[in-house]
Amino acid sequence: MFNIFTMVLLVLLVGACASNRAPTSSLQQPPSQRIKYHVVSRGETLYSIAWRYGKDFRQLAATNGIAPPYQIFPGQRLNLAGRVVAAAPVAAPKKKYTAPRKPSRPTTRPVAKTAKSLTPSKPKKTVTRISSSGIRWRWPARGKVISSFQARNPLRKGVDIAGEKGDSVLAAANGTVIYAGSALRGYGKLLIVKHNDEFLSAYAHNDKLLVGEGSEVKAGQRIAELGSSGTDRNKLHFEIRHNGQPVDPLAYLP
């Protein structure tokens, strides 16, 4: 009798503990910093994966031994733990020793007085730009900026520009479309444009994409229609990445 009572009590205790467990859907996923590998899914490209993890696509390719044009396939396992190795500083050339020369007597010559020599030169005004790549940026859409860039906020890697469904989304600079799709979670229908080996730009939450991967685009060209895919309102989410890292678009746009 005692054994039966003990068994019943144990069953009740186990059932009570099981009922207090959190559902699987509420458990948090491990932080992305701990992810060392990524398994390629259908529709992903090397560029989109590098974008997702904030990495330079060239370094990601080099870490995994992938040569241009950077083709990958579903099921392929990519190593994300590779680090950029800083190049060793180049030593300055050694100066040859030369014996000091005797100072020669200065010769005085009459200086002609001209209007140029009498008038002090004024310093030229220079326009300071963060990018030294020669890229001429322009606004990708017309509208009010409703969300600005915050370096430490993973949800604000660019700027949000308000608009109406169907409004024109324009290429911010000349470049090549390296990604067109909706495989990146949270971006909706997305375009990524490569401007050079250092700079990429992205256009997210579009209603319709008007260009495909491999297309050459010009600054100001209509490349998509503004929409609300992957978000709760009509807007364009615009990002600029320099060597894989998000930068403030407002520091580049005129």
Side-chain angles (χ1 to χ4, degrees), residues 145-193:
V145 175
I146 56 177
S147 179
S148 57
F149 173 86
Q150 289 185 5
R152 298 183 179 180
N153 189 338
L155 300 178
R156 302 181 70 171
K157 296 179 180 179
V159 295
D160 290 347
I161 303 173
E164 299 296 331
K165 183 178 180 180
D167 284 354
S168 295
V169 175
L170 312 175
N174 298 343
T176 304
V177 178
I178 57 174
Y179 179 79
S182 55
L184 267 74
R185 185 177 180 180
Y187 283 90
K189 294 181 180 179
L190 171 70
L191 288 174
I192 300 178
V193 177

Short mmCIF file of all heavy atoms in Angstrom, two decimals, residues 145-193:
data_model
loop_
_atom_site.label_atom_id
_atom_site.label_comp_id
_atom_site.label_asym_id
_atom_site.label_seq_id
_atom_site.Cartn_x
_atom_site.Cartn_y
_atom_site.Cartn_z
N VAL A 145 11.96 61.54 -43.09
CA VAL A 145 12.71 60.52 -42.35
C VAL A 145 12.00 60.31 -41.01
O VAL A 145 11.92 61.23 -40.18
CB VAL A 145 14.17 60.96 -42.13
CG1 VAL A 145 14.91 59.94 -41.25
CG2 VAL A 145 14.89 61.11 -43.46
N ILE A 146 11.51 59.10 -40.80
CA ILE A 146 10.74 58.82 -39.59
C ILE A 146 11.51 57.96 -38.59
O ILE A 146 11.06 57.75 -37.47
CB ILE A 146 9.41 58.12 -39.94
CG1 ILE A 146 9.67 56.84 -40.75
CG2 ILE A 146 8.50 59.07 -40.70
CD1 ILE A 146 8.40 56.06 -41.06
N SER A 147 12.68 57.48 -38.99
CA SER A 147 13.53 56.72 -38.07
C SER A 147 14.97 56.89 -38.51
O SER A 147 15.29 56.69 -39.68
CB SER A 147 13.15 55.24 -38.06
OG SER A 147 14.00 54.51 -37.18
N SER A 148 15.83 57.28 -37.57
CA SER A 148 17.22 57.58 -37.91
C SER A 148 18.15 56.44 -37.48
O SER A 148 17.75 55.54 -36.75
CB SER A 148 17.67 58.89 -37.26
OG SER A 148 17.50 58.83 -35.86
N PHE A 149 19.38 56.51 -37.92
CA PHE A 149 20.39 55.50 -37.64
C PHE A 149 20.87 55.60 -36.19
O PHE A 149 21.06 56.69 -35.66
CB PHE A 149 21.56 55.71 -38.59
CG PHE A 149 22.76 54.85 -38.32
CD1 PHE A 149 22.85 53.56 -38.83
CD2 PHE A 149 23.82 55.33 -37.56
CE1 PHE A 149 23.96 52.77 -38.58
CE2 PHE A 149 24.94 54.55 -37.31
CZ PHE A 149 25.00 53.27 -37.82
N GLN A 150 21.05 54.43 -35.56
CA GLN A 150 21.66 54.36 -34.23
C GLN A 150 22.66 53.22 -34.24
O GLN A 150 22.30 52.06 -34.43
CB GLN A 150 20.60 54.13 -33.15
CG GLN A 150 19.71 55.33 -32.89
CD GLN A 150 18.75 55.10 -31.73
OE1 GLN A 150 18.80 54.08 -31.06
NE2 GLN A 150 17.88 56.08 -31.49
N ALA A 151 23.93 53.56 -34.03
CA ALA A 151 25.01 52.59 -34.18
C ALA A 151 24.86 51.39 -33.25
O ALA A 151 25.20 50.27 -33.61
CB ALA A 151 26.36 53.28 -33.95
N ARG A 152 24.36 51.61 -32.04
CA ARG A 152 24.28 50.53 -31.05
C ARG A 152 22.93 49.83 -31.02
O ARG A 152 22.71 48.95 -30.19
CB ARG A 152 24.60 51.08 -29.66
CG ARG A 152 26.03 51.64 -29.55
CD ARG A 152 26.31 52.11 -28.14
NE ARG A 152 27.68 52.64 -28.01
CZ ARG A 152 28.20 53.11 -26.89
NH1 ARG A 152 27.46 53.11 -25.77
NH2 ARG A 152 29.42 53.57 -26.86
N ASN A 153 22.03 50.21 -31.92
CA ASN A 153 20.70 49.59 -31.96
C ASN A 153 20.61 48.69 -33.18
O ASN A 153 20.62 49.16 -34.31
CB ASN A 153 19.63 50.68 -32.03
CG ASN A 153 18.23 50.12 -31.84
OD1 ASN A 153 17.98 48.93 -32.06
ND2 ASN A 153 17.30 50.97 -31.44
N PRO A 154 20.54 47.36 -32.98
CA PRO A 154 20.50 46.44 -34.12
C PRO A 154 19.26 46.58 -34.99
O PRO A 154 19.24 46.07 -36.12
CB PRO A 154 20.56 45.06 -33.46
CG PRO A 154 20.02 45.27 -32.08
CD PRO A 154 20.46 46.65 -31.69
N LEU A 155 18.23 47.26 -34.49
CA LEU A 155 17.01 47.46 -35.25
C LEU A 155 17.01 48.77 -36.03
O LEU A 155 16.05 49.05 -36.75
CB LEU A 155 15.80 47.41 -34.32
CG LEU A 155 15.61 46.10 -33.54
CD1 LEU A 155 14.40 46.21 -32.61
CD2 LEU A 155 15.46 44.91 -34.48
N ARG A 156 18.08 49.56 -35.88
CA ARG A 156 18.13 50.85 -36.57
C ARG A 156 19.49 51.00 -37.27
O ARG A 156 20.28 51.87 -36.95
CB ARG A 156 17.87 51.99 -35.57
CG ARG A 156 16.53 51.85 -34.88
CD ARG A 156 16.23 52.96 -33.90
NE ARG A 156 15.97 54.22 -34.55
CZ ARG A 156 15.51 55.31 -33.91
NH1 ARG A 156 15.27 55.24 -32.61
NH2 ARG A 156 15.31 56.42 -34.55
N LYS A 157 19.69 50.13 -38.24
CA LYS A 157 20.95 50.13 -38.99
C LYS A 157 20.93 51.07 -40.18
O LYS A 157 21.91 51.17 -40.92
CB LYS A 157 21.26 48.71 -39.47
CG LYS A 157 21.49 47.71 -38.34
CD LYS A 157 21.76 46.33 -38.89
CE LYS A 157 21.99 45.32 -37.78
NZ LYS A 157 22.24 43.96 -38.30
N GLY A 158 19.80 51.75 -40.37
CA GLY A 158 19.69 52.70 -41.48
C GLY A 158 18.65 53.75 -41.15
O GLY A 158 18.43 54.07 -39.97
N VAL A 159 18.00 54.28 -42.19
CA VAL A 159 16.95 55.28 -42.00
C VAL A 159 15.66 54.77 -42.64
O VAL A 159 15.69 54.02 -43.63
CB VAL A 159 17.33 56.64 -42.60
CG1 VAL A 159 18.52 57.24 -41.88
CG2 VAL A 159 17.62 56.53 -44.09
N ASP A 160 14.53 55.16 -42.06
CA ASP A 160 13.22 54.85 -42.63
C ASP A 160 12.64 56.12 -43.23
O ASP A 160 12.62 57.18 -42.57
CB ASP A 160 12.28 54.30 -41.56
CG ASP A 160 12.67 52.91 -41.10
OD1 ASP A 160 13.52 52.28 -41.78
OD2 ASP A 160 12.14 52.44 -40.08
N ILE A 161 12.17 56.02 -44.47
CA ILE A 161 11.60 57.17 -45.18
C ILE A 161 10.13 56.86 -45.46
O ILE A 161 9.81 55.85 -46.10
CB ILE A 161 12.35 57.43 -46.49
CG1 ILE A 161 13.84 57.65 -46.20
CG2 ILE A 161 11.76 58.63 -47.22
CD1 ILE A 161 14.70 57.77 -47.45
N ALA A 162 9.23 57.71 -44.96
CA ALA A 162 7.80 57.50 -45.13
C ALA A 162 7.40 57.72 -46.58
O ALA A 162 8.03 58.49 -47.32
CB ALA A 162 7.02 58.42 -44.21
N GLY A 163 6.33 57.06 -46.98
CA GLY A 163 5.82 57.23 -48.34
C GLY A 163 4.52 56.49 -48.53
O GLY A 163 3.98 55.88 -47.60
N GLU A 164 4.01 56.53 -49.76
CA GLU A 164 2.79 55.84 -50.11
C GLU A 164 3.10 54.62 -50.97
O GLU A 164 4.12 54.57 -51.66
CB GLU A 164 1.84 56.79 -50.87
CG GLU A 164 1.42 58.01 -50.09
CD GLU A 164 0.58 57.67 -48.86
OE1 GLU A 164 -0.11 56.62 -48.91
OE2 GLU A 164 0.61 58.43 -47.89
N LYS A 165 2.24 53.64 -50.89
CA LYS A 165 2.43 52.43 -51.68
C LYS A 165 2.53 52.76 -53.16
O LYS A 165 1.69 53.49 -53.70
CB LYS A 165 1.27 51.46 -51.43
CG LYS A 165 1.41 50.14 -52.15
CD LYS A 165 0.25 49.20 -51.83
CE LYS A 165 0.39 47.87 -52.56
NZ LYS A 165 -0.74 46.95 -52.24
N GLY A 166 3.56 52.26 -53.79
CA GLY A 166 3.76 52.51 -55.22
C GLY A 166 4.69 53.66 -55.52
O GLY A 166 5.05 53.87 -56.69
N ASP A 167 5.08 54.43 -54.50
CA ASP A 167 6.04 55.52 -54.74
C ASP A 167 7.35 54.96 -55.29
O ASP A 167 7.72 53.81 -55.05
CB ASP A 167 6.32 56.28 -53.44
CG ASP A 167 5.19 57.21 -53.04
OD1 ASP A 167 4.23 57.34 -53.82
OD2 ASP A 167 5.24 57.78 -51.93
N SER A 168 8.07 55.81 -56.00
CA SER A 168 9.31 55.38 -56.63
C SER A 168 10.43 55.22 -55.61
O SER A 168 10.62 56.07 -54.74
CB SER A 168 9.75 56.39 -57.69
OG SER A 168 8.81 56.43 -58.75
N VAL A 169 11.15 54.12 -55.73
CA VAL A 169 12.39 53.89 -54.98
C VAL A 169 13.52 54.00 -55.99
O VAL A 169 13.51 53.28 -57.01
CB VAL A 169 12.39 52.52 -54.29
CG1 VAL A 169 13.74 52.26 -53.62
CG2 VAL A 169 11.27 52.44 -53.27
N LEU A 170 14.47 54.88 -55.73
CA LEU A 170 15.52 55.20 -56.70
C LEU A 170 16.88 54.70 -56.23
O LEU A 170 17.16 54.66 -55.03
CB LEU A 170 15.59 56.72 -56.92
CG LEU A 170 14.26 57.43 -57.18
CD1 LEU A 170 14.48 58.93 -57.26
CD2 LEU A 170 13.61 56.91 -58.46
N ALA A 171 17.71 54.32 -57.18
CA ALA A 171 19.08 53.92 -56.85
C ALA A 171 19.82 55.14 -56.30
O ALA A 171 19.79 56.21 -56.89
CB ALA A 171 19.79 53.38 -58.08
N ALA A 172 20.49 54.97 -55.15
CA ALA A 172 21.17 56.09 -54.51
C ALA A 172 22.49 56.44 -55.19
O ALA A 172 23.04 57.51 -54.96
CB ALA A 172 21.42 55.78 -53.04
N ALA A 173 23.00 55.53 -56.02
CA ALA A 173 24.25 55.77 -56.75
C ALA A 173 24.38 54.69 -57.82
O ALA A 173 23.63 53.70 -57.82
CB ALA A 173 25.46 55.74 -55.81
N ASN A 174 25.31 54.87 -58.74
CA ASN A 174 25.56 53.87 -59.76
C ASN A 174 26.02 52.56 -59.12
O ASN A 174 26.75 52.59 -58.12
CB ASN A 174 26.62 54.34 -60.75
CG ASN A 174 26.20 55.59 -61.50
OD1 ASN A 174 25.02 55.94 -61.54
ND2 ASN A 174 27.16 56.26 -62.11
N GLY A 175 25.63 51.44 -59.70
CA GLY A 175 26.08 50.17 -59.14
C GLY A 175 25.47 48.97 -59.83
O GLY A 175 24.84 49.10 -60.88
N THR A 176 25.68 47.81 -59.20
CA THR A 176 25.17 46.53 -59.71
C THR A 176 24.31 45.87 -58.65
O THR A 176 24.71 45.80 -57.48
CB THR A 176 26.35 45.59 -60.08
OG1 THR A 176 27.21 46.24 -61.01
CG2 THR A 176 25.82 44.30 -60.69
N VAL A 177 23.15 45.39 -59.03
CA VAL A 177 22.25 44.70 -58.11
C VAL A 177 22.85 43.32 -57.80
O VAL A 177 23.03 42.50 -58.72
CB VAL A 177 20.84 44.55 -58.70
CG1 VAL A 177 19.93 43.78 -57.72
CG2 VAL A 177 20.24 45.91 -59.02
N ILE A 178 23.16 43.07 -56.55
CA ILE A 178 23.76 41.79 -56.17
C ILE A 178 22.79 40.92 -55.38
O ILE A 178 23.08 39.76 -55.13
CB ILE A 178 25.06 42.00 -55.35
CG1 ILE A 178 24.78 42.85 -54.11
CG2 ILE A 178 26.15 42.62 -56.22
CD1 ILE A 178 25.96 42.98 -53.18
N TYR A 179 21.65 41.48 -55.01
CA TYR A 179 20.62 40.68 -54.34
C TYR A 179 19.26 41.28 -54.62
O TYR A 179 19.06 42.50 -54.51
CB TYR A 179 20.84 40.60 -52.84
CG TYR A 179 19.77 39.79 -52.14
CD1 TYR A 179 19.82 38.40 -52.15
CD2 TYR A 179 18.69 40.40 -51.52
CE1 TYR A 179 18.82 37.63 -51.55
CE2 TYR A 179 17.69 39.65 -50.91
CZ TYR A 179 17.76 38.27 -50.93
OH TYR A 179 16.77 37.52 -50.35
N ALA A 180 18.30 40.41 -54.98
CA ALA A 180 16.91 40.82 -55.18
C ALA A 180 16.03 39.67 -54.71
O ALA A 180 16.00 38.60 -55.33
CB ALA A 180 16.65 41.15 -56.65
N GLY A 181 15.35 39.86 -53.59
CA GLY A 181 14.52 38.78 -53.07
C GLY A 181 13.97 39.10 -51.70
O GLY A 181 13.99 40.25 -51.25
N SER A 182 13.48 38.06 -51.03
CA SER A 182 12.85 38.25 -49.71
C SER A 182 13.32 37.19 -48.72
O SER A 182 12.57 36.80 -47.83
CB SER A 182 11.33 38.22 -49.85
OG SER A 182 10.91 37.02 -50.49
N ALA A 183 14.55 36.71 -48.88
CA ALA A 183 15.06 35.65 -48.00
C ALA A 183 15.57 36.20 -46.67
O ALA A 183 15.71 35.43 -45.71
CB ALA A 183 16.17 34.87 -48.69
N LEU A 184 15.85 37.50 -46.59
CA LEU A 184 16.35 38.08 -45.34
C LEU A 184 15.18 38.47 -44.46
O LEU A 184 14.41 39.38 -44.79
CB LEU A 184 17.23 39.30 -45.61
CG LEU A 184 18.73 38.99 -45.71
CD1 LEU A 184 19.02 38.30 -47.03
CD2 LEU A 184 19.55 40.26 -45.59
N ARG A 185 15.06 37.81 -43.35
CA ARG A 185 13.95 38.05 -42.43
C ARG A 185 13.98 39.47 -41.89
O ARG A 185 15.02 39.97 -41.48
CB ARG A 185 14.02 37.05 -41.28
CG ARG A 185 12.85 37.11 -40.32
CD ARG A 185 12.98 36.04 -39.26
NE ARG A 185 11.87 36.08 -38.32
CZ ARG A 185 11.73 35.25 -37.29
NH1 ARG A 185 12.65 34.32 -37.07
NH2 ARG A 185 10.70 35.35 -36.48
N GLY A 186 12.81 40.13 -41.92
CA GLY A 186 12.70 41.48 -41.40
C GLY A 186 12.91 42.58 -42.42
O GLY A 186 12.71 43.75 -42.12
N TYR A 187 13.30 42.21 -43.65
CA TYR A 187 13.55 43.21 -44.69
C TYR A 187 12.48 43.21 -45.77
O TYR A 187 12.44 44.12 -46.60
CB TYR A 187 14.92 42.98 -45.34
CG TYR A 187 16.09 43.44 -44.51
CD1 TYR A 187 16.71 42.58 -43.61
CD2 TYR A 187 16.59 44.73 -44.63
CE1 TYR A 187 17.80 43.00 -42.85
CE2 TYR A 187 17.67 45.15 -43.89
CZ TYR A 187 18.27 44.28 -42.99
OH TYR A 187 19.35 44.71 -42.25
N GLY A 188 11.63 42.21 -45.79
CA GLY A 188 10.63 42.13 -46.84
C GLY A 188 11.29 41.94 -48.20
O GLY A 188 12.31 41.28 -48.32
N LYS A 189 10.68 42.54 -49.22
CA LYS A 189 11.26 42.49 -50.57
C LYS A 189 12.43 43.47 -50.62
O LYS A 189 12.24 44.68 -50.49
CB LYS A 189 10.21 42.82 -51.62
CG LYS A 189 9.10 41.78 -51.69
CD LYS A 189 8.07 42.12 -52.76
CE LYS A 189 6.98 41.07 -52.81
NZ LYS A 189 5.94 41.38 -53.82
N LEU A 190 13.61 42.92 -50.83
CA LEU A 190 14.85 43.67 -50.62
C LEU A 190 15.72 43.71 -51.87
O LEU A 190 15.81 42.73 -52.61
CB LEU A 190 15.64 43.04 -49.47
CG LEU A 190 17.06 43.51 -49.21
CD1 LEU A 190 17.07 44.93 -48.64
CD2 LEU A 190 17.77 42.56 -48.25
N LEU A 191 16.36 44.85 -52.09
CA LEU A 191 17.39 45.00 -53.12
C LEU A 191 18.68 45.43 -52.43
O LEU A 191 18.68 46.28 -51.55
CB LEU A 191 17.01 46.08 -54.15
CG LEU A 191 15.89 45.75 -55.13
CD1 LEU A 191 15.56 46.98 -55.97
CD2 LEU A 191 16.27 44.58 -56.04
N ILE A 192 19.80 44.82 -52.84
CA ILE A 192 21.12 45.24 -52.38
C ILE A 192 21.94 45.60 -53.62
O ILE A 192 22.01 44.81 -54.56
CB ILE A 192 21.84 44.14 -51.57
CG1 ILE A 192 21.02 43.76 -50.33
CG2 ILE A 192 23.23 44.62 -51.15
CD1 ILE A 192 21.65 42.65 -49.51
N VAL A 193 22.52 46.78 -53.60
CA VAL A 193 23.30 47.28 -54.74
C VAL A 193 24.75 47.44 -54.32
O VAL A 193 25.05 48.03 -53.27
CB VAL A 193 22.74 48.62 -55.26
CG1 VAL A 193 23.60 49.17 -56.39
CG2 VAL A 193 21.30 48.46 -55.72
#
